[in-house]
Amino acid sequence: MYRLVKPIFFKFDPENVHHFVVKRLKWFHDFFPLGKTILRGNYDISYKGLEREVFGLKFKNPVGLAAGFDKNGEYVEALSNLGFGFIEVGTVTPLPQPGNDRPRMFRLQDDHAIINRMGFNNKGVDVMAERLRLLKNREPGIIVGGNIGKNKNTPNEDAICDYVKCFDCLFDVVDYFVVNVSSPNTPGLRALQEKEPLKELLNTLQKRNNKDNRSKPILLKIAPDLTNEQLDDIVEIVKETHIAGVIATNTTIDRNGLYAEEKLKSEMGGLSGKPLTKRSTEVIRYLAQKSGKSFPIIGVGGIHTPEDAKEKLDAGASLVQLYTGFIYEGPGLIKRICKALI
C-alpha cells in the first residue's frame, strides 16, 4: 500500500506531507471503527523473544521511533500501534518556538536521505507534559522517551536552566530522557558537547534525578561528526556522570559522496538517511569497544532494511530507532526488522 502512495506524497513539500499523514493516522486510529485494531493487525508483532530489558525498562521489541517525528507528543498512541517498541518525542524546549524559516526540510531522493533545519520547532514543554499526562492515564504500557533541548534565544551559559525546566516538567510523564546537544540547527548548541560544559549539564540533571529516591534513565544524543578523541571523552563523561547510556547518532553536517544535485546538497541543516548508515554504525562500534559495553547504546542513522538494523545491533547497540528509513520505506519496515530478529 505504501509503495502506491509514496510517489504521490513525494511530489509535495515534505513538511506539509508529514503533517497531512500524521493527522490522518491519528484520525484513523482514534475515530475510524476498528482503526486501532486494523493498525495493530497489519503492523504490530507480538513475540516474547523480541523483548529487551535496557536501562531498567522493558521494551516489547528493540525498534523505536526517533525524536523529531512527533515533536509535541501528539501522535504517540497511534504511532505505537504501528509496531514500535518505544516512541521518543521532542525535541522540546521550555518555551514554544516556531523554529527556522520554511522551507526547512528537503528530500534527497537519489540518496534516500533528508536534510532538515527545523530548529526545534515545538509548542513548549508545558503543552507536551499535559498531553503525555493524559496519554499515561489511557495507555500505561507505552514506553515514551522525552528528548529535551534549549530555546534558540537562550545563551549557552544559561542552557542548563532550560534543560532542568524540561526535565522537571516531564519527569512524571516520560520513561526516559534524552539530552540533545548535537542538533546542528540551533546556533551554538553543539558547543555544549565539549567536555566540561557537558559534564556540568549532565551532573546537574543527575542531581535532580536522584531526589526522593526516584530516578529516570538519562541518555546523551551525540553527533556522528565527532572525532575518536571526542568519542573517548564521551565514554569518560558517561562513566563519570553515571548516566544510563548514549544515542548514536544525530544528523550529520557532512555532505561527502552524495548523488543529489548541488543545490540540494548545499542546503544548510542536518543530513539523515542512507548516507549516515556506515558512519553511525562506526560510532556505535567504537563506543561499544572503547567502553567495554559498559553502557547501553541506542543506534540510529540510516536504517532502511532489517540488515541495517542487525548491523547496528551486532556493532553493540541494545536498541535501534528509525526516522528517515521509516519515511522512505514505510511502516512495514518495523515489522520486517522485528521478523528478521526472531
Side-chain angles (χ1 to χ4, degrees):
M1 178 65 176
Y2 188 74
R3 290 180 182 177
L4 296 176
V5 299
K6 176 182 162 184
I8 301 171
F9 289 160
F10 275 36
K11 290 182 181 295
F12 299 95
D13 175 79
E15 190 172 350
N16 289 341
V17 169
H18 173 81
H19 292 303
F20 176 86
V21 171
V22 292
K23 285 177 180 178
R24 274 142 192 84
L25 172 66
K26 181 174 174 59
W27 176 88
F28 182 82
H29 177 275
D30 292 351
F31 301 111
F32 189 83
L34 299 178
K36 184 187 297 188
T37 302
I38 292 169
L39 290 177
R40 283 180 174 172
N42 278 292
Y43 297 112
D44 204 5
I45 180 168
S46 296
Y47 180 71
K48 201 162 184 64
L50 288 170
E51 293 178 356
R52 301 285 193 278
E53 187 163 334
V54 185
F55 40 80
L57 298 175
K58 192 170 185 179
F59 297 80
K60 70 175 184 179
N61 70 58
V63 185
L65 180 65
F69 197 91
D70 186 2
K71 292 179 177 292
N72 298 297
E74 297 174 87
Y75 309 107
V76 171
E77 192 175 4
L79 289 165
S80 71
N81 282 307
L82 294 178
F84 286 111
F86 58 109
I87 307 290
E88 193 171 305
V89 295
T91 299
V92 69
T93 55
L95 300 175
Q97 59 181 30
N100 295 319
D101 293 338
R102 298 181 64 172
R104 53 193 180 183
M105 183 181 286
F106 310 88
R107 298 188 199 93
L108 286 67
Q109 295 192 48
D110 292 339
D111 297 290
H112 290 80
I114 289 173
I115 290 174
N116 93 81
R117 52 171 180 264
M118 305 300 288
F120 290 174
N121 55 305
N122 72 102
K123 297 179 181 178
V125 71
D126 292 326
V127 171
M128 176 182 281
E130 184 57 31
R131 284 203 178 112
L132 295 181
R133 192 167 290 112
L134 294 172
L135 175 71
K136 282 289 181 181
N137 291 335
R138 293 199 311 269
E139 295 283 346
I142 299 174
I143 290 184
V144 177
N147 188 300
I148 58 176
K150 78 173 188 73
N151 281 112
K152 181 178 180 179
N153 294 331
T154 301
N156 277 8
E157 54 266 29
D158 298 327
I160 288 178
C161 295
D162 276 16
Y163 286 92
V164 167
K165 163 73 173 172
C166 291
F167 184 85
D168 289 348
C169 197
L170 294 178
F171 188 87
D172 291 326
V173 293
V174 300
D175 299 294
Y176 69 89
F177 283 95
V178 179
V179 177
N180 188 351
V181 291
S182 53
S183 170
N185 301 319
T186 295
L189 184 74
R190 284 190 169 193
L192 295 175
Q193 288 184 120
E194 296 299 324
K195 190 173 183 179
E196 292 310 316
L198 188 53
K199 282 172 61 176
E200 184 182 4
L201 170 59
L202 295 176
N203 279 324
T204 300
L205 291 176
Q206 282 289 56
K207 288 177 184 176
R208 310 287 293 190
N209 197 27
N210 293 322
K211 284 184 174 181
D212 304 323
N213 295 317
R214 294 192 305 150
S215 64
K216 296 286 174 76
I218 298 175
L219 292 92
L220 173 67
K221 189 164 188 175
I222 64 171
D225 309 307
L226 300 179
T227 65
N228 285 350
E229 290 75 17
Q230 289 172 312
L231 291 175
D232 292 343
D233 286 344
I234 294 297
V235 172
E236 182 182 329
I237 289 166
V238 171
K239 291 181 177 179
E240 284 186 15
T241 60
H242 304 290
I243 63 169
V246 167
I247 297 185
T249 62
N250 213 319
T251 57
T252 180
I253 55 175
D254 185 33
R255 298 291 189 267
N256 288 327
L258 297 179
Y259 298 106
E261 59 186 88
E262 197 60 39
K263 182 182 177 182
L264 275 176
K265 286 195 291 186
S266 64
E267 292 288 354
M268 297 295 291
L271 175 75
S272 61
K274 277 193 174 182
L276 197 51
T277 305
K278 181 181 177 182
R279 177 55 186 163
S280 62
T281 303
E282 288 174 350
V283 172
I284 292 164
R285 184 175 289 110
Y286 187 91
L287 290 174
Q289 292 176 351
K290 199 73 178 179
S291 68
K293 296 186 176 180
S294 61
F295 53 80
I297 300 167
I298 298 180
V300 56
I303 299 175
H304 288 245
T305 67
E307 290 71 29
D308 295 334
K310 290 176 76 172
E311 282 181 6
K312 282 179 169 45
L313 294 168
D314 291 342
S318 302
L319 306 165
V320 294
Q321 289 178 323
L322 309 179
Y323 189 112
T324 304
F326 179 53
I327 293 170
Y328 273 90
E329 311 302 330
L333 178 60
I334 309 151
K335 193 170 187 177
R336 291 197 297 274
I337 293 172
C338 288
K339 282 187 172 181
L341 297 177
I342 293 176

